[in-house]
Amino acid sequence: QVQLVESGGGLVQPGGSLRLSCAASGFTLDYYAIGWFRQGPGKEREGVSCINIYNSIYYADSVKGRFTISRDNAKNTVYLQMDSLKPEDTAVYYCARRATVCSTSLNVFDSWGQGTQVTVSS
């Protein structure tokens, strides 16, 4: 029943923008932190951003100032607004949940979406 579904990925030119959505179902989003992760070709999955139930926010240094995470509990959805995109942002982007607060450890997130592809290329 627990599901996270990412959407909004696509092909964009460098400097462009995309907004990713993470739609949650089967649980109440209000009580979970949601993290965004990405995995580029030949790379390990890495944390991008996370928002907890108190609306404290984490950004990786590589995206700080360019990406914005937000949540809309009424819509049971978390968003990742990505601006000034760079080729190195190309990856499959995943959202995942953890009870209450964020973590830098992937292993403690207990549910993951299927991912959405983001390709930044000219």
Side-chain angles (χ1 to χ4, degrees):
Q1 282 192 303
V2 174
Q3 290 189 76
L4 295 167
V5 179
E6 303 93 338
S7 62
L11 175 64
V12 65
Q13 294 184 4
S17 297
L18 287 171
R19 177 154 59 188
L20 306 184
S21 298
C22 175
S25 61
F27 68 98
T28 302
L29 188 60
D30 306 45
Y31 307 116
Y32 289 87
I34 299 295
W36 284 98
F37 302 83
R38 67 186 182 187
Q39 187 166 18
K43 299 180 180 179
E44 295 185 349
R45 194 169 299 185
E46 63 178 357
V48 175
S49 185
C50 189
I51 184 167
N52 70 17
I53 65 170
Y54 310 109
N55 286 325
S56 295
I57 292 170
Y58 161 83
Y59 295 107
D61 288 342
S62 60
V63 307
K64 195 171 298 182
R66 300 188 297 120
F67 290 11
T68 304
I69 192 171
S70 62
R71 68 192 301 153
D72 187 338
N73 288 347
K75 295 182 178 180
N76 230 31
T77 301
V78 174
Y79 303 95
L80 186 68
Q81 177 68 41
M82 306 186 297
D83 298 320
S84 301
L85 284 162
K86 304 175 180 180
E88 51 262 45
D89 296 318
T90 296
V92 178
Y93 283 72
Y94 302 88
C95 63
R97 76 165 194 179
R98 183 175 189 255
T100 310
V101 296
C102 296
S103 175
T104 56
S105 177
L106 278 63
N107 292 337
V108 300
F109 288 82
D110 66 1
S111 186
W112 293 77
Q114 83 291 343
T116 185
Q117 175 70 234
V118 172
T119 303
V120 185
S121 177
S122 60

